[in-house]
Amino acid sequence: MPQAITDFKSQTQVQDINQQFKERALQNKASEMNMPYVNLLTAPINSDFASFLSQKDSERANAAIFSKTGKKIRLAVIDPENEDTKAIVDQLKVAGYQVNVSLCSEESLKVAQKIYFTEKYAKKEKADSEVIEEDLGSFLQEIENLEQLRDKIENSTFDVALNLIQVGAYKTNASDIHFQPEENDVLIRFRIDGVLKSIFKITRHAYDGIMKEIKYLSDLKMNITNIPQDGQHSFIINKRKINVRVSLMPSHYGETCVMRLLDSKKSFITIDKMGFAGEALKNILEAVHLPHGMILVTGPTGSGKTTTLYSMLQSIDTNEKKVITLEDPIEYNLEGITQSQVDPEADYHFASGLRAILRQDPDVIMVGEIRDLETAETAAQASLTGHLVLTTLHTNSAVESIARLANMGVKSFILAPAMDLIIAQRLVRTLCPHCAELKPITETEKEHIQFSLQSIAEKGLEAPELPTELKHPVGCEKCAKTGFLGQIPVTEVLRFNQELRDLILENTPMPEIYSYITKNLKMVSMHEDGILKVIQGITTLDEVYRVAS
């Protein structure tokens, strides 16, 4: 290690120790003065408090607000007997606040003022950072070449290092960036086509600096590391604005960070081009154009539910119908559609937002997610009063969604007439069209496929012939040598009829409802839909079994 760096670290350690002695001495002084003490170097600092005390007043009175609950304010001061300090306290009291004064050190006060008022930290509307690829170096699609970025990241400023990682993720079509702290370093992974891929490891020093940059850009508290935080920022590359949703959480080896990349200019294909086919596609297109009813899309996080909802909205004529969405958060901007984002801190939840939407005279409503009984009942009631409602639920299959809503407490006389269609889905990776190769089908593959084809035929549906060859992944430059390029949903689509509604109204046990569906409604299961896509050369058996065994 260079001598200059060693000297700097030693100097920093001495300064930290000296400051600790100062803070202890001040704490004892506060005790003698019979007043509270606060160390603003470690206390949570919220830059929103700057709006209650101007920079001029804060510097004149050597004071800073560090806590506010309703009309109760906690004020940190250097000298409680200072006339300017007393004037600020009186000013706050006249404004109707209860003021509690705490003693703090000059050093910690300056840190708080820096967070409140220095341009770098002051909370404001930030311009999107423009990323110019030429300034960052060249990027290739191959994951192996991204590994070469590690040295450049370690020797770059932290803002450049973050841009290198974000642009690398964007160039490889990653949906998420994972920073995973370990005992000695930090692992960076990209989620590409639904699968996590380890990219490289960076040092703790580089990660700490990158984390500060992420927090600054995302308006998160810089000095908080022991509680979860969520935020967002954006960057622009190739004239495309990429929104970044940030999630921080404490872990055994420090804060772990996940960033989701959302392309604001992403175009959504219509529902008929998403991989739905046959009876399933027919049922969806009919349901989307109903004047009222409820369409439910189910599946785990990352299964493409939002994309399916947005694609269905693309099929609706917004010139003739008013469409309003309620989301958490708004992921993509849709033309011709009114989009609203819930805000729990302002007591604006899905249930209250949905009630407000109903007063806006909508024809079609999209609710991001059903999370509780109140939202479920309000959505169902809306579908019964002349609105088409599209929403999502976290369940594993279409049939389980009926039981989930019933277990939530939705009454059968509301649930049965409200529901029209349930789509359950997962995402499988699609084979790269540039390198996939045909191989003769094996006996094991033949057995698995034949079983599903027989099941499809028994439902009265047309089943394709058993193939003699299947496509398999190889890997090339186009697909980052993975053999896969893109994703497609495997789905099951349950369309309600009157008999099914009657069974729900009669509170029929779920096994009997499931038996009725499999025998009478010709629903292709998620696994069977996957097998059909294997036969078409879209994906592989391994992919289908990975998500829909």
Side-chain angles (χ1 to χ4, degrees):
M1 182 180 293
Q3 185 62 38
I5 296 178
T6 303
D7 293 343
F8 173 76
K9 288 188 173 182
S10 299
Q11 182 182 355
T12 302
Q13 290 170 351
V14 170
Q15 289 174 346
D16 288 343
I17 293 171
N18 289 339
Q19 187 60 41
Q20 288 174 20
F21 280 118
K22 286 182 181 180
E23 295 297 330
R24 285 178 194 162
L26 193 66
Q27 188 173 11
N28 293 331
K29 180 181 177 181
S31 180
E32 292 171 2
M33 297 172 65
N34 196 27
M35 66 180 297
Y37 154 82
V38 63
N39 183 355
L40 296 179
L41 295 171
T42 57
I45 299 297
N46 185 339
S47 56
D48 289 343
F49 296 155
S51 61
F52 296 96
L53 190 64
S54 69
Q55 180 174 1
K56 180 180 178 181
D57 287 341
S58 175
E59 291 175 346
R60 178 167 55 86
N62 283 321
I65 295 171
F66 67 93
S67 175
K68 179 182 177 295
T69 306
K71 284 291 185 178
K72 296 180 180 179
I73 280 179
R74 298 187 68 186
L75 189 72
V77 304
I78 295 176
D79 180 6
E81 299 302 321
N82 179 279
E83 291 303 319
D84 288 326
T85 303
K86 289 180 179 180
I88 288 299
V89 172
D90 291 339
Q91 180 181 317
L92 291 169
K93 287 180 178 179
V94 169
Y97 292 104
Q98 299 176 35
V99 184
N100 180 286
V101 178
S102 299
L103 196 65
C104 73
S105 67
E106 183 178 357
E107 291 82 1
S108 71
L109 178 67
K110 288 188 181 302
V111 168
Q113 288 173 330
K114 182 178 181 182
I115 292 175
Y116 285 151
F117 307 118
T118 303
E119 183 178 357
K120 180 177 179 182
Y121 294 100
K123 189 167 184 178
K124 59 182 180 179
E125 193 67 30
K126 296 185 179 67
D128 303 315
S129 58
E130 181 90 33
V131 178
I132 302 172
E133 288 187 50
E134 289 76 11
D135 293 344
L136 299 176
S138 61
F139 291 91
L140 298 177
Q141 287 275 330
E142 294 88 350
I143 297 297
E144 292 89 336
N145 286 353
L146 281 176
E147 202 165 336
Q148 297 174 11
L149 292 175
R150 177 172 40 198
D151 293 338
K152 190 167 185 179
I153 286 170
E154 294 289 348
N155 294 292
S156 299
T157 59
F158 299 132
D159 57 337
V160 171
L162 176 60
N163 278 335
L164 284 167
I165 294 168
Q166 290 181 154
V167 174
Y170 172 79
K171 293 285 286 182
T172 52
N173 296 314
S175 61
D176 301 86
I177 303 170
H178 289 242
F179 294 91
Q180 185 173 314
E182 296 179 340
E183 186 173 3
N184 299 314
D185 43 33
V186 177
L187 174 64
I188 295 178
R189 299 195 288 178
F190 292 170
R191 188 176 292 280
I192 302 173
D193 292 334
V195 177
L196 275 175
K197 178 76 175 178
S198 295
I199 307 301
F200 48 69
K201 292 184 177 182
I202 58 175
T203 62
R204 285 282 184 162
H205 172 72
Y207 180 59
D208 289 343
I210 290 170
M211 279 295 295
K212 288 177 182 176
E213 187 66 21
I214 291 171
K215 286 183 175 183
Y216 160 62
L217 291 174
S218 305
D219 281 331
L220 299 177
K221 295 177 182 177
M222 307 284 285
N223 59 338
I224 298 296
T225 60
N226 60 344
I227 59 172
Q229 294 192 78
D230 295 315
Q232 57 184 344
H233 65 269
S234 58
F235 65 95
I236 296 173
I237 180 170
N238 297 336
K239 297 183 179 179
R240 298 179 76 91
K241 180 179 179 180
I242 310 300
N243 296 317
V244 184
R245 281 165 48 189
V246 177
S247 173
L248 305 181
M249 189 182 77
S251 72
H252 182 59
Y253 292 117
E255 277 185 294
T256 178
C257 174
V258 175
M259 302 198 302
R260 170 154 291 187
L261 307 184
L262 302 167
D263 188 345
S264 63
K265 290 189 177 180
K266 178 180 178 179
S267 58
F268 290 92
I269 57 177
T270 53
I271 199 71
D272 57 320
K273 297 177 181 177
M274 278 196 63
F276 296 97
E279 193 77 12
L281 178 59
K282 173 177 170 288
N283 287 332
I284 292 172
L285 291 176
E286 288 178 357
V288 167
H289 292 97
L290 287 172
H292 57 81
M294 191 169 176
I295 299 175
L296 201 60
V297 183
T298 78
T301 301
S303 59
K305 298 188 296 297
T306 300
T307 300
T308 298
L309 286 177
Y310 281 5
S311 295
M312 284 193 282
L313 292 178
Q314 297 291 307
S315 303
I316 296 171
D317 186 354
T318 55
N319 291 320
E320 294 185 358
K321 294 183 178 181
K322 181 171 182 176
V323 182
I324 304 180
T325 73
L326 186 62
E327 307 173 56
D328 182 23
I330 295 171
E331 295 188 7
Y332 304 99
N333 297 322
L334 302 175
E335 276 191 44
I337 291 174
T338 301
Q339 294 175 268
S340 181
Q341 181 169 310
V342 300
D343 185 359
E345 292 185 5
D347 200 28
Y348 183 49
H349 302 274
F350 278 119
S352 59
L354 185 50
R355 288 194 298 272
I357 284 175
L358 292 173
R359 296 191 288 271
Q360 292 283 312
D361 188 31
D363 298 292
V364 181
I365 302 168
M366 189 196 94
V367 182
E369 184 183 346
I370 289 179
R371 296 177 180 173
D372 52 49
L373 173 60
E374 188 179 3
T375 307
E377 285 189 332
T378 307
Q381 290 283 8
S383 73
L384 296 174
T385 55
H387 306 88
L388 181 63
V389 179
L390 287 69
T391 186
T392 72
L393 189 69
H394 286 282
T395 57
N396 291 320
S397 67
V399 179
E400 284 180 40
S401 301
I402 301 172
R404 175 71 187 281
L405 289 170
N407 290 336
M408 270 187 179
V410 181
K411 302 294 189 293
S412 59
F413 63 83
I414 296 176
L415 176 59
M419 291 302 309
D420 193 82
L421 188 83
I422 301 178
I423 304 171
Q425 67 180 59
R426 302 285 189 281
L427 291 177
V428 294
R429 292 181 293 173
T430 53
L431 284 161
C432 174
H434 306 285
C435 63
E437 65 178 20
L438 284 168
K439 293 182 180 179
I441 190 170
T442 66
E443 287 301 317
T444 301
E445 291 170 338
K446 188 184 297 184
E447 181 181 342
H448 283 291
I449 292 174
Q450 187 64 58
F451 181 82
S452 293
L453 293 180
Q454 183 179 341
S455 174
I456 292 171
E458 288 173 353
K459 295 173 183 176
L461 298 169
E462 185 178 349
E465 293 184 3
L466 185 70
T468 57
E469 295 179 311
L470 293 177
K471 283 188 176 180
H472 290 264
V474 176
C476 65
E477 293 183 359
K478 299 284 187 181
C479 61
K481 298 186 178 179
T482 64
F484 297 93
L485 193 60
Q487 293 174 285
I488 194 170
V490 291
T491 65
E492 55 189 35
V493 178
L494 172 59
R495 181 74 185 273
F496 280 58
N497 63 8
Q498 191 54 51
E499 288 183 56
L500 178 55
R501 291 190 176 95
D502 290 341
L503 290 173
I504 295 172
L505 281 169
E506 295 163 5
N507 294 313
T508 305
M510 285 309 302
E512 293 182 33
I513 290 178
Y514 179 74
S515 177
Y516 170 79
I517 290 170
T518 54
K519 290 178 181 177
N520 298 281
L521 294 188
K522 299 181 179 181
M523 183 183 76
V524 174
S525 73
M526 204 181 305
H527 181 80
E528 291 163 355
D529 182 53
I531 294 298
L532 293 176
K533 287 179 169 65
V534 171
I535 294 173
Q536 295 166 24
I538 296 172
T539 189
T540 67
L541 273 174
D542 286 342
E543 276 295 293
V544 174
Y545 276 97
R546 179 176 67 85
V547 303
S549 60

